[in-house]
Amino acid sequence: MIQQEQQQQEAKVFFSRHLLEWYQREKRDLPWRRHRNPYYIWISEIMLQQTRVDTVIPYFHRFIERFPTVESLADAPEEDVLKCWEGLGYYSRARNIQHAAKQVKELYGGQVPDDRDAVFGLKGVGPYTAGAILSIAFNRPEPAVDGNVMRVLSRYFLIRDDIAKGPTRVKMEGLVRELIPEGEASSFNQALMELGALVCTPKSPRCLTCPVMEHCAGRLAGCETELPVKTKAKPPRPEERLAALVEGRGAHAGRVLIRQRPSSGLLARMWELPHWPAPPAEGGAPRTPLPEAAAQDRLRRSLQSAGISARPEGHWMAAEHVFSHIVWTLQVYRCREEEALPLAAEGRAVYGAAAAAAAAGGALLPEGSAPVEPFDDGGDPADRGAVRWINRADMANYAFPNVFLKLLNSYFDEQEQAGQE
C-alpha cells in the first residue's frame, strides 16, 4: 500500500514537471497569451467554450478592438455586442459577458476582481471560467477543469469515473490542486489545456509525442482510447420549420423581410427570416417533409395570420441549425410581397415595419402605416420584436444567427449574379 502511494506520488511529480517543460517548448502563440490582462483572458475563455481556437482568434481580435475595456463593453448597446459575436453561436454567452461587464463596472470599478467569490458571482462564470481567470491572469492556484483536462487526467491516472457527473469534476478539481507546482498555476493550467488540445486528443491520441507517456496509466493498460468514460447526451430533438424569404416589390424592391425574436429565450433579440413549425405528423408517425402544396398552404396561412401580405411561390432551399437540445430543419420558400389585401391585419402588416423602423433608418414605409401585428411563434405576444425590410448593406446593422446569415448572403449573391447576366 505504501509502495503504491509512493508510486502515485512519483507519477504526479513526473507529470507536473514534464508537462511544464513541454509547454514552455511547444505552446502556441495565441493572442490572449501575450499578456495577463484578466479582461482579455476572460473574453477568450468564454469564446473558446464549444468553439475551436482557429475560429476564435479573428473574433477575439474584433471583439477586443470594438470593446477594449470592461467599461466599453458594459456601456455598449446589446445589438452591437450581438453583431460582434455573430457567427460564434451560443449567443447567451455574449449576453452574459455584457451583463457581467456591467457588474464589474458597478461593483469593482471596471477592474476584473481577483477574489474567488467575486469572480464566481459574475453572470455566466462557472467553475472552469473562474479557475481560468484566477489562475491564468492572477496566478492563483485554482483548478480550471474542462473537457480537455478531464480527458488528460482520466487517461494519465486511469480514472474510470463518468466525467459527465458532477462528483467526477469535483474529484478532478481536487487532483489538479495537488498537481499545480507552487507559483506555476498560470502556466500549468494552460499546459494541461494545451496537452488535451494538441496531443491527448479525443480520437487517435498522439501518445508517442506525449511528454508524460512514460507514466500514463491508461496507455500502459492499453485503454487510452476508451477513456474518458462519458454518458452520452440525449440527442437533440428534430424539428421541421417553414421559413419565408419574402421578396419586396415597389418601394421594397430589392429588399427582403426580417423579424426580430423576443427579448428572452432562444436566440433572444436576434434577427431572422420569419418561420413557423411545420404541423406534427398524424398519429405519432415519424415526421417527414410536407408535400410541396401542403407546405406552401401552411406557410401562406402562417404569413396571413401574422399580418404579412405575401404569397409563397416555390421552395428555394433547405438549411439546418443545430442547438444543443434541438435541430431545426428549415424549408425555405420564396414568397412575393402582394398588394395590400382587404383584410385589415394584412393591410397593416408588412407595410408597417413600425414608425420606429423608419426613424431608425429602416426601409421607407407609406405614410400612416400602423405597427406590425406580432408573429405567432410562441412566448408572450407582447414581447415580439419588430420587422424590417433590408437589403444586403443593411445586414451590417442587424445580428443574425449563422443559418439566417448564410441564407441571406446566398440570396443576395444570387441576386447580384442574376443582375450581372
Side-chain angles (χ1 to χ4, degrees):
M1 184 68 176
I2 295 177
Q3 183 179 7
Q4 185 178 5
E5 290 180 356
Q6 185 176 359
Q7 290 175 344
Q8 185 82 344
Q9 186 59 35
E10 289 176 357
K12 291 178 180 178
V13 172
F14 177 91
F15 181 86
S16 299
R17 183 175 71 250
H18 286 269
L19 180 62
L20 276 174
E21 291 175 354
W22 170 83
Y23 179 68
Q24 296 304 329
R25 295 193 311 269
E26 304 293 338
K27 64 180 178 181
R28 290 170 291 180
D29 179 21
L30 302 177
W32 46 86
R33 286 180 175 165
R34 298 170 187 168
H35 41 68
R36 289 285 183 87
N37 185 321
Y39 170 62
Y40 291 1
I41 290 167
W42 171 27
I43 297 301
S44 70
E45 289 298 337
I46 297 295
M47 285 186 169
L48 287 164
Q49 294 171 13
Q50 309 294 329
T51 311
R52 295 173 58 86
V53 168
D54 291 345
T55 301
V56 165
I57 289 174
Y59 278 95
F60 175 81
H61 284 305
R62 286 197 296 270
F63 198 90
I64 293 303
E65 182 179 358
R66 175 65 181 82
F67 311 112
T69 64
V70 171
E71 291 92 339
S72 63
L73 176 57
D75 295 339
E78 182 183 275
E79 289 76 10
D80 289 1
V81 178
L82 291 174
K83 186 64 181 177
C84 203
W85 201 271
E86 185 181 66
L88 267 180
Y90 300 94
Y91 293 94
S92 60
R93 295 182 297 173
R95 295 187 185 88
N96 287 341
I97 285 177
Q98 186 175 36
H99 184 104
K102 293 177 180 179
Q103 291 178 279
V104 172
K105 178 185 175 182
E106 294 169 5
L107 299 176
Y108 309 110
Q111 300 298 313
V112 178
D114 62 356
D115 175 77
R116 188 174 186 274
D117 291 339
V119 173
F120 264 98
L122 299 177
K123 179 78 170 178
V125 174
Y128 167 75
T129 305
I133 294 170
L134 291 166
S135 63
I136 298 173
F138 301 109
N139 206 29
R140 297 290 182 86
E142 293 286 342
V145 175
D146 66 354
N148 278 336
V149 170
M150 287 194 282
R151 182 170 61 254
V152 170
L153 297 180
S154 293
R155 289 171 175 171
Y156 186 83
F157 292 101
L158 194 54
I159 299 173
R160 296 186 182 273
D161 299 340
D162 185 350
I163 65 170
K165 298 186 179 299
T168 304
R169 174 182 288 276
V170 172
K171 176 180 179 178
M172 292 193 176
E173 287 174 344
L175 179 56
V176 171
R177 290 182 191 277
E178 294 180 42
L179 294 171
I180 297 175
E182 185 174 356
E184 295 286 357
S186 179
S187 293
F188 181 80
N189 276 347
Q190 291 182 87
L192 257 180
M193 300 171 198
E194 195 82 333
L195 189 70
L198 300 181
V199 177
C200 197
T201 51
K203 297 179 181 179
S204 304
R206 301 177 177 89
C207 294
L208 294 180
T209 63
C210 178
V212 296
M213 73 171 213
E214 184 178 335
H215 288 281
C216 177
R219 184 189 69 84
L220 293 172
C223 60
E224 67 276 10
T225 58
E226 301 169 15
L227 296 170
V229 174
K230 184 177 181 180
T231 303
K232 290 186 177 180
K234 184 178 179 180
R237 181 182 79 255
E239 183 176 300
E240 185 179 2
R241 300 183 75 86
L242 305 176
L245 181 76
V246 182
E247 300 174 289
R249 59 188 297 184
H252 304 141
R255 297 175 180 270
V256 296
L257 187 74
I258 60 171
R259 71 175 179 184
Q260 188 177 36
R261 295 188 64 81
S263 60
S264 61
L266 190 68
L267 301 174
R269 293 183 59 78
M270 300 196 75
W271 294 82
E272 63 185 4
L273 298 177
H275 59 99
W276 295 268
E282 296 182 3
R287 181 186 292 279
T288 57
L290 281 177
E292 179 81 5
Q296 290 200 48
D297 181 65
R298 175 79 175 197
L299 185 57
R300 179 189 60 78
R301 289 186 285 113
S302 295
L303 288 162
Q304 182 178 2
S305 67
I308 299 177
S309 179
R311 182 175 297 276
E313 293 190 333
H315 186 270
W316 178 49
M317 68 166 59
E320 188 176 84
H321 194 56
V322 181
F323 301 93
S324 58
H325 64 298
I326 191 171
V327 177
W328 283 349
T329 298
L330 295 158
Q331 301 297 339
V332 187
Y333 289 81
R334 292 177 78 151
C335 304
R336 184 72 168 167
E337 179 190 11
E338 295 184 320
E339 296 294 343
L341 299 180
L343 194 62
E346 290 182 337
R348 289 199 304 271
V350 170
Y351 313 105
L364 294 176
L365 305 171
E367 292 183 7
S369 296
V372 171
E373 292 291 288
F375 286 96
D376 183 15
D377 193 29
D380 182 358
D383 190 31
R384 305 284 163 70
V387 296
R388 300 285 190 274
W389 285 104
I390 65 163
N391 57 25
R392 173 163 248 166
D394 296 326
M395 289 176 63
N397 301 319
Y398 303 94
F400 298 93
N402 241 2
V403 64
F404 295 105
L405 189 67
K406 291 176 181 177
L407 286 169
L408 287 165
N409 277 322
S410 293
Y411 172 76
F412 287 121
D413 284 345
E414 282 186 10
Q415 297 303 104
E416 290 175 6
Q417 184 174 357
Q420 294 171 1
E421 293 177 352

